[in-house]
Amino acid sequence: MKRGFIFFGCSLASFVELSEGARLQLVKFSDGGAVCLDGSDAGFYFGAATSNEHKDDWQIHFKGGGWCAGPEDCLARSRGRLGSSNSWGGTTLASNGIASRDCVINPDFCKFNYVEVEYCDGDSFLGDRAEPVLVGPPGKEDRLYFRGARIVESMVDKLVAKYGLQRAKNVLITGCSAGGLAAILNADVIYDLLRQHGATPQRYKVVSCSGFFPLLPNFLGQTVYGDLIKDLFELSNATTRTRCFQDLAGSDIAWHCNVAQYALSYIQAPIFLVNSAKDSWVSRCTFRALQHRGQDIQAACSAKARPGLTEHYNQFRKLILTNPTVNRPGNGAFVHTCDTHCEGAQPFFNKISLNRVTIQQAISRWWNSINEIAAAHTYAPCSDAQKDCEATCSRAPKHAARPPIDIASSTSNNAAADNDRWSEN
């Protein structure tokens, strides 16, 4: 029986304000079958280092955009820019925050070679299905390609062959939301690919912004988010390249390799998490999400979800701060309580602070440290989960309320257009 999901304005999430600076150039490729959901070429936007001092320094940033929930929804997604490259422009501006090319906002990385990986595979760059999935009536099927893992591999090949990535001295992998999850899950994969090309970076680190989506039940005790990820893991034949999957292959919980709280234990690269314990997407789109039962979803949410939010926030906070990998030397986290999502890729990432240290400053200190104890680079939120108790939360704009969207049954071109409009980056 088909499982459906209701997310409140959450098929994707929120705009990310683009930064100023020179425009990035689109590079498309399809080597080794690296294609988007609709079979069009995958690609990235590239901006060369802006100073000779940083000619061998690199930042690779994964854009986000949620996930698709089943064949029909993935088909709808394939008709927009999150599943097809046909509408991508030849140039664009970089994302903001940690991806900004503005050195006032992002002083540590603004002059690096910059790669912004377009998200078009629907599963955080993890799918690896050899044959397309056919959707539709016999004789009139559409084809869906789940090739996220190949996109990552071909991207590295292209950057080595044409742009000199193999000479990299410093490499920072970043991502926001579904791209933040991709940064976590592909952290060691990219490092291994670099080594295969002879690269020996002196410093290789990962920053995930809003990429920790907790495997927690919704307010009715249903495993809505877990069901979504499990189904997508199977549909996309998620990558066998990760150490997690190599360990859990064939088991009933192999799909946990697509969930940050489990996959992190296998990650060896130094990593820093930026997340809100009150992440607006998580609280709205997983805790308050409902399995589709034809009921008045929004009314059920407002009446029943509120009492459990505090406990949900506390559990979410604990999952991040007690994770063994987060607490390993060389790693760290910035966990706050602002009602935001993708704040690490927004211009106000240098305004939200904990103990007078902003997100930007915390990342800078961690980036410039060498294998220090995690406690030196862990910033925990204040204890009151009832409100935005960090005073600097007022500097971050609230996310506007949006109408309910059933992402599992939206198959029209209008739905795909809405996905583009509300894409999270």
Side-chain angles (χ1 to χ4, degrees):
M1 176 174 144
K2 172 187 169 185
R3 180 186 290 122
F5 301 90
I6 290 287
F7 292 92
F8 300 131
C10 302
S11 56
L12 304 165
S14 59
F15 285 122
V16 165
E17 184 179 336
L18 300 180
S19 67
E20 297 299 325
R23 298 189 70 85
L24 310 174
Q25 301 296 317
L26 177 62
V27 179
K28 285 187 175 182
F29 53 87
S30 58
D31 314 62
V35 295
C36 299
L37 282 170
D38 71 336
S40 59
D41 289 358
F44 57 80
Y45 287 91
F46 175 75
T50 56
S51 75
N52 191 58
E53 177 188 0
H54 293 289
K55 63 183 177 62
D56 294 323
D57 297 339
W58 290 79
Q59 180 180 359
I60 298 175
H61 182 76
F62 288 99
K63 294 183 72 172
W67 310 274
C68 49
E72 292 82 7
D73 189 55
C74 291
L75 179 60
R77 186 185 181 98
S78 73
R79 294 166 178 159
R81 66 172 293 112
L82 288 164
S84 171
S85 65
N86 290 333
S87 64
W88 296 353
T91 65
T92 191
L93 292 172
S95 294
N96 220 308
I98 195 172
S100 177
R101 306 295 275 171
D102 183 340
C103 294
V104 174
I105 295 173
N106 183 33
D108 290 282
F109 314 113
C110 61
K111 296 182 179 180
F112 281 26
N113 292 291
Y114 178 74
V115 180
E116 189 156 284
V117 193
E118 285 292 315
Y119 183 28
C120 67
D121 75 291
D123 188 22
S124 290
F125 300 91
L126 295 171
D128 194 17
R129 185 168 291 284
E131 298 299 323
V133 173
L134 302 181
V135 184
K140 298 181 179 180
E141 301 98 337
D142 287 288
R143 297 187 174 200
L144 290 175
Y145 297 83
F146 293 93
R147 303 283 178 78
R150 300 186 191 194
I151 292 173
V152 171
E153 185 171 352
S154 293
M155 171 196 69
V156 172
D157 290 345
K158 182 71 68 176
L159 290 171
V160 166
K162 291 195 172 184
Y163 298 94
L165 179 61
Q166 71 275 19
R167 296 188 295 273
K169 293 180 180 178
N170 295 294
V171 178
L172 177 68
I173 309 298
T174 60
C176 164
S177 195
L181 179 62
I184 294 172
L185 303 183
N186 284 288
D188 293 340
V189 172
I190 296 174
Y191 181 78
D192 291 343
L193 289 170
L194 290 175
R195 293 304 302 269
Q196 289 171 23
H197 283 287
T200 56
Q202 300 168 3
R203 181 166 38 178
Y204 179 94
K205 293 189 175 186
V206 180
V207 175
S208 169
C209 302
S210 302
F212 192 106
F213 297 88
L215 197 62
L216 293 171
N218 71 353
F219 68 95
L220 294 178
Q222 300 165 335
T223 56
V224 179
Y225 175 69
D227 291 343
L228 165 66
I229 295 302
K230 181 179 180 181
D231 287 355
L232 185 55
F233 178 86
E234 295 170 353
L235 176 64
S236 70
N237 190 38
T239 181
T240 60
R241 293 165 170 78
T242 66
R243 291 183 176 89
C244 178
F245 186 82
Q246 291 167 9
D247 185 38
L248 298 181
S251 72
D252 292 337
I253 59 171
W255 63 276
H256 281 185
C257 294
N258 275 34
V259 180
Q261 68 201 65
Y262 297 110
L264 271 170
S265 64
Y266 292 88
I267 302 302
Q268 297 179 5
I271 193 164
F272 188 94
L273 304 183
V274 177
N275 242 98
S276 172
K278 291 184 61 181
D279 185 286
S280 58
W281 197 94
V282 170
S283 61
R284 185 174 73 249
C285 306
T286 62
F287 178 70
R288 290 185 283 178
L290 282 172
Q291 291 174 320
H292 185 22
R293 297 183 178 181
Q295 58 191 19
D296 187 343
I297 303 300
Q298 197 163 17
C301 171
S302 61
K304 296 180 180 178
R306 196 175 301 114
L309 274 173
T310 297
E311 179 57 26
H312 176 78
Y313 297 150
N314 288 334
Q315 288 180 314
F316 189 5
R317 174 180 181 270
K318 183 177 180 181
L319 279 174
I320 298 175
L321 293 175
T322 63
N323 186 280
T325 297
V326 173
N327 288 283
R328 192 173 65 208
N331 297 339
F334 189 105
V335 184
H336 58 92
T337 63
C338 299
D339 181 24
T340 56
H341 183 69
C342 272
E343 60 281 351
Q346 297 281 11
F348 52 82
F349 100 123
N350 58 3
K351 301 192 182 305
I352 294 176
S353 65
L354 285 167
N355 298 323
R356 299 184 180 180
V357 178
T358 67
I359 297 173
Q360 182 272 319
Q361 290 168 336
I363 292 172
S364 178
R365 293 176 184 182
W366 167 80
W367 170 256
N368 290 295
S369 67
I370 301 176
N371 206 38
E372 293 180 353
I373 61 171
H377 299 284
T378 300
Y379 305 82
C382 48
S383 59
D384 188 355
Q386 300 279 356
K387 58 185 179 182
D388 295 340
C389 49
E390 282 95 29
T392 56
C393 289
S394 60
R395 300 178 184 176
K398 299 289 185 181
H399 287 269
R402 301 185 184 118
I405 296 176
D406 182 345
I407 68 169
S409 62
S410 298
T411 56
S412 68
N413 285 323
N414 288 337
D418 285 343
N419 283 358
D420 289 347
R421 182 183 178 203
W422 296 117
S423 67
E424 55 177 293
N425 288 291

